Amino acid sequence: MAHKLDRLLRPKSVALVGASPKEGSVGRGMITSTAMPGTPSRVYFVNPGYDEIDGQKCYKSLRALPEVVDLAVLGIANARLEAALDEVIQCGIGAATIFASGYVENDAEPRLTARLSAKAKANGIAICGGNCMGFYHMDFGLRVCGFPPPAWIRKGNVAFLTHSGSAFSALCHTDRRFGFSLAVSAGQELATNVADYLDFALDIPATKVVGLFLETVRDPQGFKAALAKAQRMGIPVVALKVGRTAESAALAVSHSGAIAGNHAAYQALFERYGVIEVANMDDLVNALHLFSGERKLAPGGIATIHDSGGFRELVLDLGLETGVPFAKIARETEAKLASRLDYGLEPINPLDAWGTGNDWEAIFEDCLQALVDDPDTALASFCVEARDGYFLSASYADVLRRVAQRTTKPVFYTTNVGSNANLDLTTRLAHDGVPVLSGVASMLRVVKAAMAQRDRAALVDDPAATAPQGLRAKWQQRLGTGDLSEAEALDLLADYGVPVVAHFFAETEAEAIAAADKAGYPIVLKTAMPGILHKSDVGGVKLGLADAAAVRAAYADLANRLGPRVLVMPMAGKGIEISFGMTRDEQFGPVVMVGAGGVLIEMMKDRRFSLPPFGPKEARWQIDRLSLRPLLDGKRGARPADIDALSRAFAAFSVMVADLEGLVSEMDVNPLIVNESGAVAVDALAVKR
């Protein structure tokens, strides 16, 4: 089936504009790249300074070519780019690759990059770049780069899409373990973006895993559609998003907006579509190696085997610190291990299997096989150093090959030290289909992310509730007049099914006492004066008022300092304080949050972000991943909290946020008290968009 990027990434003919015989130049690099074995495209040289290069005719211009090519590769200086793109347009060429940055001195407005982008989009021209390294469509056989790849680069099942040219080089030009279906250095994305490349890569039959190095997403809806496509196809996507800072926090009104920063939407987006997010290049590389093996994680934890007691202990420490579960091996597995291990070695996971060295290869093979076969093993790793020309390393690799052939579970090699993986031995092992990961610390982080992706995949059948009819219209009318008061925000929550505490307005001392009598002591008195968003900051909350005298004194203080309008509520009772929040991302829309509540909301980095709406299963999954989650099970005599009620409340909150899209910009529910009796929202803030 034809794709809109075919003329760029699968061209029948290519023109190299700026082709040059000069060694070390971009013009020579283009020639070397496209001349590598297997190139299926017809390649023409274009440079008015030469009649021929390497014995091949060199044309003076694109107009002089014997055909209208699909792709023009512009290996020229910034000052010549606009004229060259104009010629591309005039000749009817459908695609271009631009290596240069597009920045020129004393440039007029709009800038050159903006002019190039506008012209390309107006004429339907796909562009790789500018300011890029080019692309390798290895499944097709074409390499387009001003800095040619090494001869050993090969076809494989990894698609890599990156905004960083250095990341492109790090994987494509350095790591011999990889094989690529497609690798693209997207650069400035003047006309073609990561969403387009991702959609194309997923259509390549060889693609089994996709890696993304992202600075931004320029087509949010297209990106979401491509991620959804990958999810439907069961192709893992691994993403490293850079720029994970919170510049937007200073502009936020609510706590939720202040703590979300500009990365919360990406976190929520990645979780919604099952993307494995990593935080650094080492983890990106290891995740791509792990998932390039194609095998799916089974239920359970990790099993590891070692030839060192010290490194076995290190992996156990790191695993527990990282939160990676180790397989709880059965007694039958322990017995198999004990029957093969030398005296003094413990039959446990993680396993140190090196004893006297007698019959060591068979012992390692039998023990690794026993660990892999255990019902609670999801995946297994042989964690040892590698050395070319060393009999132990070669035998360990052979053990892994044989065990891998006898299981459908992921089985892989991990070097203890991160810098020790790119060797002939480990490269051959990776080419044989056994992934090789670098460094046990990074491996464990990647395994944790892979397990989270596996576990979340079970939530796809979790439909959100339908918002009640008429509520959006009701609240749209009210929000059109300004921000909601606290009482109105609580009423809004209640309308959508989030339990809230009873609440009453009062504007005189007598009304406050009457409301307190109705609510039932002890009560809470809060200022309800317009414009005061964070009441605690101004001493606007009086807690635990036990009788009318206490209400009278509290009301007098609030009225004198802040104004006469107050809100009267019963005390919600003891429990764990949780917060719900909502903020709106300009690219991806509303994002909801669950996290620690009360005064800890900004102090603790304990929160989870999601794209609304969703059902109770996803709500429960997010809650279960909070650091405070053990508190909900009851500690020091406290009864377990009603987590199901909390999950239903969070799911209802997400339905409300989705239904009010476009009407509310930020929202806080803080605190929401959860205990054995249920969950109830005590305070709320809603800011109209």
Side-chain angles (χ1 to χ4, degrees):
M1 182 181 297
H3 194 280
K4 67 179 182 179
L5 297 189
D6 279 346
R7 297 184 75 179
L8 175 64
L9 301 177
R10 199 182 283 121
K12 295 183 178 66
S13 52
V14 180
L16 305 181
V17 181
S20 170
K22 183 180 179 181
E23 292 299 329
S25 67
V26 170
R28 168 54 76 181
M30 295 190 302
I31 294 174
T32 304
S33 296
T34 55
M36 296 183 79
T39 297
S41 310
R42 296 181 295 278
V43 179
Y44 300 97
F45 300 162
V46 177
N47 192 327
Y50 300 94
D51 293 325
E52 61 86 22
I53 299 175
D54 297 344
Q56 180 174 326
K57 182 177 180 179
C58 191
Y59 295 86
K60 302 302 180 184
S61 67
L62 291 171
R63 296 183 188 88
L65 293 174
E67 64 173 312
V68 177
V69 296
D70 285 334
L71 170 64
V73 183
L74 307 183
I76 55 179
N78 288 324
R80 297 174 54 201
L81 281 179
E82 190 162 19
L85 185 61
D86 287 340
E87 188 179 9
V88 167
I89 295 168
Q90 293 161 10
C91 290
I93 298 171
T97 296
I98 298 175
F99 301 127
S101 67
Y103 302 135
V104 293
E105 288 187 80
N106 303 315
D107 197 4
E109 292 290 347
R111 300 287 184 178
L112 175 58
T113 51
R115 299 196 301 272
L116 295 174
S117 178
K119 289 181 178 184
K121 291 176 180 177
N123 290 277
I125 296 173
I127 293 182
C128 180
N131 200 23
C132 77
M133 295 278 288
F135 65 87
Y136 303 143
H137 187 176
M138 300 302 296
D139 192 69
F140 179 62
L142 179 65
R143 306 158 186 84
V144 173
C145 185
F147 304 90
W152 47 256
I153 191 169
R154 67 187 185 98
K155 176 181 174 180
N157 58 16
V158 176
F160 182 50
L161 315 174
T162 172
H163 287 129
S164 165
S166 293
F168 181 85
S169 182
L171 270 65
C172 298
H173 297 171
T174 308
D175 196 327
R176 293 182 294 143
R177 294 168 291 172
F178 277 120
F180 296 95
S181 58
L182 176 71
V184 179
S185 171
Q188 296 160 330
E189 299 184 328
L190 295 177
T192 307
N193 57 60
V194 164
D196 301 319
Y197 296 125
L198 178 54
D199 184 78
F200 185 93
L202 294 171
D203 286 344
I204 300 174
T207 299
K208 302 302 178 186
V209 61
V210 179
L212 304 175
F213 185 106
L214 296 173
E215 291 178 345
T216 189
V217 170
R218 293 180 171 87
D219 177 11
Q221 296 309 311
F223 189 60
K224 288 166 71 173
L227 291 181
K229 180 177 178 178
Q231 191 174 47
R232 290 193 305 271
M233 296 175 69
I235 296 178
V237 177
V238 182
L240 171 55
K241 173 65 177 68
V242 297
R244 303 184 297 267
T245 52
E247 294 93 338
S248 61
L251 304 178
V253 175
S254 70
H255 291 289
S256 304
I259 66 178
N262 61 4
H263 190 59
Y266 282 99
Q267 291 177 315
L269 177 77
F270 292 158
E271 289 208 345
R272 169 59 60 90
Y273 293 104
V275 175
I276 300 98
E277 185 179 12
V278 295
N280 57 59
M281 284 297 296
D282 290 334
D283 291 2
L284 174 65
V285 168
N286 276 339
L288 290 177
H289 283 306
L290 178 61
F291 283 98
S292 69
E294 299 183 44
R295 299 182 180 188
K296 306 298 183 184
L297 270 67
I302 188 173
T304 61
I305 188 170
H306 310 259
D307 64 358
S308 162
F311 269 106
R312 185 268 304 271
E313 294 171 19
L314 174 62
V315 167
L316 182 59
D317 288 342
L318 292 173
L320 293 175
E321 292 169 1
T322 307
V324 175
F326 287 89
K328 297 178 176 62
I329 59 175
R331 290 187 179 276
E332 293 80 359
T333 303
E334 291 178 355
K336 291 178 183 178
L337 297 177
S339 70
R340 294 298 285 126
L341 291 169
D342 284 349
Y343 176 78
L345 296 177
E346 298 175 283
I348 59 175
N349 176 41
L351 176 67
D352 171 19
W354 186 267
T356 63
N358 180 49
D359 197 26
W360 59 269
E361 184 171 337
I363 289 174
F364 271 91
E365 183 169 346
D366 292 343
C367 289
L368 178 57
Q369 189 70 57
L371 289 172
V372 169
D373 291 342
D374 190 273
D376 198 49
T377 295
L379 71 174
S381 180
F382 204 149
C383 301
V384 287
E385 289 310 332
R387 195 169 92 204
D388 285 340
Y390 185 46
F391 74 98
L392 272 179
S393 296
S395 295
Y396 288 156
D398 288 339
V399 166
L400 262 175
R401 287 186 180 96
R402 292 192 294 268
V403 172
Q405 291 173 354
R406 296 192 292 263
T407 184
T408 59
K409 296 178 181 180
V411 178
F412 55 97
Y413 195 109
T414 303
T415 62
N416 289 326
V417 180
S419 59
N420 292 355
N422 206 19
L423 307 170
D424 287 340
L425 177 102
T426 52
T427 298
R428 290 196 305 272
L429 189 61
H431 291 185
D432 290 341
V434 179
V436 177
L437 278 61
S438 307
V440 292
S442 175
M443 177 271 288
L444 289 166
R445 292 193 298 269
V446 166
V447 166
K448 181 181 180 182
M451 288 179 171
Q453 189 252 13
R454 172 200 64 187
D455 297 342
R456 197 197 180 288
L459 303 177
V460 292
D461 184 22
D462 183 31
T466 301
Q469 289 288 330
L471 283 186
R472 178 182 170 87
K474 169 186 173 181
W475 288 100
Q476 182 174 14
Q477 181 178 4
R478 169 58 189 87
L479 285 163
T481 65
D483 295 339
L484 303 183
S485 68
E486 179 184 349
E488 289 173 314
L490 290 171
D491 290 339
L492 171 62
L493 292 170
D495 274 357
Y496 281 91
V498 180
V500 302
V501 69
H503 47 280
F504 309 93
F505 275 124
E507 293 189 335
T508 67
E509 177 187 290
E511 289 177 357
I513 293 173
D517 291 339
K518 184 176 181 180
Y521 293 98
I523 64 104
V524 179
L525 210 61
K526 301 180 181 181
T527 180
M529 295 301 296
I532 301 177
L533 297 179
H534 302 300
K535 301 171 181 60
S536 297
D537 293 346
V538 295
V541 180
K542 303 290 186 177
L543 300 173
L545 305 178
D547 52 33
V551 172
R552 187 176 292 110
Y555 180 83
D557 176 62
L558 293 178
N560 289 334
R561 289 189 299 108
L562 303 174
R565 190 172 174 83
V566 297
L567 196 62
V568 183
M569 300 175 171
M571 290 287 289
K574 294 183 178 180
I576 307 300
E577 293 188 336
I578 301 292
S579 65
F580 295 165
M582 169 263 171
T583 187
R584 191 180 188 282
D585 182 80
E586 288 303 314
Q587 287 184 300
F588 301 110
V591 179
V592 297
M593 179 205 77
V594 61
V599 297
L600 298 178
I601 184 171
E602 290 181 348
M603 297 171 60
M604 290 182 64
K605 294 182 179 180
D606 188 18
R607 47 215 177 230
R608 302 292 309 172
F609 298 100
S610 308
L611 293 184
F614 46 80
K617 289 182 181 178
E618 178 166 337
R620 175 64 180 259
W621 190 77
Q622 297 289 356
I623 292 164
D624 283 345
R625 298 185 72 191
L626 293 171
S627 298
L628 61 75
R629 171 62 180 80
L631 295 177
L632 300 176
D633 291 328
K635 297 293 181 182
R636 296 188 175 181
R639 295 181 61 82
D642 190 341
I643 303 175
D644 289 339
L646 178 60
S647 301
R648 291 192 298 271
F650 189 39
F653 180 77
S654 80
V655 171
M656 179 199 72
V657 168
D659 193 43
L660 298 179
E661 161 65 351
L663 303 181
V664 178
S665 62
E666 298 176 38
M667 189 162 187
D668 274 344
V669 180
N670 180 40
L672 182 143
I673 306 295
V674 57
N675 53 34
E676 71 273 15
S677 302
V680 59
V682 175
D683 197 350
L685 165 68
V687 180
K688 77 180 184 71
R689 189 176 177 197

